[in-house]
Amino acid sequence: LEVPANRVRGSDATAHDRRAQCEAAAVWLLEQGPIDLLIVGTGMNGHVGFNEPGADPAAGAHSLVLDTLTQAVGQKYFGGKPTPRAGITLGLRDLLAARRVLVQATGAHKAPVIQNAAAVAANASRMESDPMIPPVARFLALPNTVLAVDYAADSPLLKGK
């Protein structure tokens, strides 16, 4: 993609002062503008970037305790080491402001997640009234979001189930 180094920023979720990491991310976003292209996956509960169901859509960068399902599924990424119980994430306010979004989901185990999120995204009144909607549904409701799924994750949608 040849993204200039000054357009890429990460955070250290293991830092002693996670609040300072969040504040630095917020300042960087204010200075650099919104994210140009956000590429994210979705978790088994519809989370996006550690923003779990029930996450405040107005929240900016923040530190959080990870959902137990997210911790359990995340074990595969830590090679036998203990799974983190806390993390740092950009909030939904920051992520939803991205100019373009690519949400990806792979595998049959993600099919019900995508099917539910698509149904929620199509229901405007539920989007406004249900605080526990899966965050991925918020992205699917945006016109600047592209959903990329493999056949296994998409098959129930193709079959009309």
Side-chain angles (χ1 to χ4, degrees):
L1 289 175
E2 298 182 23
V3 178
N6 69 336
R7 297 292 294 156
V8 177
R9 185 183 193 293
S11 296
D12 182 0
T14 64
H16 177 71
D17 189 352
R18 290 194 305 255
R19 174 183 270 171
Q21 291 285 310
C22 294
E23 290 170 0
V27 168
W28 188 87
L29 274 174
L30 282 173
E31 292 172 351
Q32 298 295 320
I35 298 167
D36 288 321
L37 174 61
L38 176 66
I39 302 172
V40 292
T42 184
M44 290 300 298
N45 61 0
H47 79 258
V48 173
F50 293 144
N51 289 282
E52 305 286 350
D56 180 358
H62 59 281
S63 177
L64 70 159
V65 174
L66 301 177
D67 180 84
T68 54
L69 177 60
T70 300
Q71 289 179 44
V73 172
Q75 289 178 354
K76 65 185 174 190
Y77 300 113
F78 293 93
K81 296 178 186 173
T83 303
R85 292 193 169 120
I88 293 174
T89 188
L90 293 178
L92 288 174
R93 178 191 70 211
D94 303 323
L95 300 177
L96 290 165
R99 291 183 178 108
R100 291 167 297 218
V101 180
L102 173 64
V103 174
Q104 62 109 23
T106 58
H109 61 290
K110 294 286 178 81
V113 176
I114 296 302
Q115 188 173 18
N116 177 56
V120 170
N123 184 334
S125 64
R126 183 167 175 205
M127 289 286 292
E128 293 175 15
S129 65
D130 185 352
M132 295 304 293
I133 65 167
V136 69
R138 295 186 186 281
F139 290 91
L140 296 183
L142 298 174
N144 62 333
T145 296
V146 172
L147 173 63
V149 295
D150 64 0
Y151 181 77
D154 191 42
S155 59
L157 297 174
L158 291 175
K159 294 176 185 173
K161 293 183 179 180

